[in-house]
Amino acid sequence: MALMDQAPVAELQKDIVTDDQYVLTRTVRDGWKNTTLEESLIDGYQTLSDILDWLETDPRPSQRLFMEDLQDSGFTAFSEETKQQITGPYYRWFTDDGEYWDGEEGTVTALFDSNWKKGEVADEDDLEEMDQLTFHTRPLELTVKNVLAYARYVFDDQSLKLIPAQEYLAEKMQDYGYCEEDGTVTYGCSFTPIMKAAAPAGLVCVGLEAALWVWAQAEDDEEPTWHRFRDIYTGDEAHYDAVEYLLDVPEQMWKSPSQRIGISQLITSNLPIQGALAAAELERRYGLPKDSVRPLSQDELDREIVLSRRMETR
């Protein structure tokens, strides 16, 4: 039998957020604290594409799309010089104000009327009634700068921000740390014996989980104290607050009290190493400063952790 904790921690990594995710916020005033805070406009952490889809869902009547491919819409434009349809591609960006401008790289100026479709022929009189507009010959790039500008346009609010998800999560976690006398913020890490509900036939999956503990109030009228993160925080981030070290044990061995003691000793034989690895992994997941998650104290490391048939099932 080989313990899973002997594998690199990288095999146990779970990402709460990814590098391509962001949080869309706006600045609001907190009347109780007489300060401002960033209020998230969308639940969870989103990619730029997801945020853009949300911004374009159920738009107000006057709201322009982030970018419109006019050819895909079936519209056509005519060259003022040749009087012929322009083959494209051409796009309309949300920043376009309908005014004429010329000479900008990546644009073309043409005659346009949304009632004209591909393949139709316009005469001189038709062309005279068309609007002269400038279109883009390339799509609007999906960048943080452009999506943020579009969000501010949609909400008509310049306070909106797009914050990288990892940065937002790390800032949120500051509220759950214990402030030491020197000003550093720390967190706890504690082991609990667990049994997994699902295991291969004939086996029992048992082991330890090293869970993140934070300094917080469970109730508004109580003093802050140490709590397991998932016990006082209801967001999805709390689902990742533990690193598991598991072992598949033959069911017959697990039923034997004497062999169960040996299994407990085997699983808990490397608690200092397991605690240090778990602390480093929890720091990575939550974007916490290096060495801010404190592994078990020596007293806790010396205590006996016994795996029993009555322990909690995950």
Side-chain angles (χ1 to χ4, degrees), residues 248-269:
D248 285 334
V249 179
E251 191 171 1
Q252 291 301 318
M253 289 181 62
W254 184 246
K255 290 180 178 179
S256 167
S258 60
Q259 289 184 307
R260 195 159 55 246
I261 293 175
I263 293 169
S264 295
Q265 293 172 343
L266 176 63
I267 291 177
T268 61
S269 61

Side-chain angles (χ1 to χ4, degrees), residues 17-83:
V17 297
T18 57
D19 291 340
D20 63 345
Q21 290 179 318
Y22 297 84
V23 178
L24 180 63
T25 70
R26 64 180 168 193
T27 303
V28 296
R29 185 155 194 83
D30 186 340
W32 291 100
K33 297 181 179 180
N34 194 28
T35 184
T36 60
L37 54 86
E38 295 302 316
E39 176 186 64
S40 177
L41 295 175
I42 315 176
D43 291 337
Y45 307 102
Q46 311 289 335
T47 63
L48 292 179
S49 178
D50 291 336
I51 292 172
L52 180 58
D53 288 343
W54 181 80
L55 290 169
E56 291 186 329
T57 300
D58 193 22
R60 65 180 188 274
S62 61
Q63 179 179 325
R64 295 188 290 271
L65 295 176
F66 178 74
M67 177 195 67
E68 186 178 4
D69 186 333
L70 296 175
Q71 288 186 304
D72 282 351
S73 301
F75 300 150
T76 188
F78 293 84
S79 167
E80 190 172 18
E81 291 77 22
T82 66
K83 315 302 182 186

Side-chain angles (χ1 to χ4, degrees), residues 20-309:
D20 63 345
Q21 290 179 318
Y22 297 84
V23 178
L24 180 63
T25 70
R26 64 180 168 193
T27 303
V28 296
R29 185 155 194 83
D30 186 340
W32 291 100
K33 297 181 179 180
N34 194 28
T35 184
T36 60
L37 54 86
E38 295 302 316
E39 176 186 64
S40 177
L41 295 175
I42 315 176
D43 291 337
Y45 307 102
Q46 311 289 335
T47 63
L48 292 179
S49 178
D50 291 336
I51 292 172
L52 180 58
D53 288 343
W54 181 80
L55 290 169
E56 291 186 329
T57 300
D58 193 22
R60 65 180 188 274
S62 61
Q63 179 179 325
R64 295 188 290 271
L65 295 176
F66 178 74
M67 177 195 67
E68 186 178 4
D69 186 333
L70 296 175
Q71 288 186 304
D72 282 351
S73 301
F75 300 150
T76 188
F78 293 84
S79 167
E80 190 172 18
E81 291 77 22
T82 66
K83 315 302 182 186
Q84 302 297 313
Q85 288 188 10
I86 297 175
T87 57
Y90 46 96
Y91 305 88
R92 183 158 51 197
W93 298 357
F94 78 93
T95 52
D96 297 346
D97 55 11
E99 297 296 326
Y100 168 80
W101 78 99
D102 197 10
E104 183 177 328
E105 183 180 357
T107 64
V108 59
T109 299
L111 300 172
F112 178 77
D113 187 323
S114 61
N115 293 320
W116 288 84
K117 306 301 179 183
K118 292 180 181 179
E120 294 181 336
V121 178
D123 58 26
E124 289 288 344
D125 292 337
D126 296 325
L127 294 172
E128 288 181 0
E129 295 178 357
M130 293 183 183
D131 295 323
Q132 187 183 52
L133 296 175
T134 300
F135 306 103
H136 298 272
T137 57
R138 63 180 185 275
L140 180 57
E141 294 182 355
L142 191 68
T143 64
V144 171
K145 178 181 178 181
N146 290 338
V147 173
L148 177 58
Y150 185 66
R152 289 174 172 175
Y153 153 73
V154 170
F155 282 90
D156 191 22
D157 185 347
Q158 293 300 306
S159 77
L160 266 61
K161 298 177 183 176
L162 268 177
I163 304 174
Q166 188 67 71
E167 177 184 324
Y168 184 86
L169 176 60
E171 181 68 25
K172 178 188 294 187
M173 293 302 296
Q174 285 284 321
D175 295 335
Y176 293 93
Y178 177 79
C179 187
E180 305 283 354
E181 291 184 359
D182 62 359
T184 59
V185 177
T186 60
Y187 307 82
C189 178
S190 181
F191 278 114
T192 302
I194 59 170
M195 176 185 294
K196 302 297 286 187
L203 298 174
V204 177
C205 186
V206 296
L208 301 171
E209 64 175 8
L212 178 68
W213 283 63
V214 297
W215 185 258
Q217 293 174 283
E219 303 292 342
D220 291 339
D221 57 350
E222 75 168 19
E223 292 296 319
T225 187
W226 288 105
H227 298 275
R228 179 166 175 174
F229 186 45
R230 71 175 57 178
D231 291 339
I232 54 94
Y233 186 79
T234 58
D236 291 342
E237 298 93 335
H239 297 165
Y240 303 87
D241 75 340
V243 176
E244 297 176 344
Y245 298 96
L246 302 172
L247 178 67
D248 285 334
V249 179
E251 191 171 1
Q252 291 301 318
M253 289 181 62
W254 184 246
K255 290 180 178 179
S256 167
S258 60
Q259 289 184 307
R260 195 159 55 246
I261 293 175
I263 293 169
S264 295
Q265 293 172 343
L266 176 63
I267 291 177
T268 61
S269 61
N270 289 316
L271 285 182
I273 295 175
Q274 292 168 324
L277 293 176
E281 168 61 5
L282 291 170
E283 289 167 359
R284 187 198 67 82
R285 290 183 191 179
Y286 289 96
L288 305 176
K290 187 177 185 299
D291 298 328
S292 63
V293 176
R294 303 291 170 86
L296 301 174
S297 67
Q298 192 58 49
D299 288 342
E300 291 173 306
L301 291 173
D302 290 339
R303 73 184 174 92
E304 183 179 10
I305 299 179
V306 179
L307 281 67
S308 72
R309 298 183 68 180

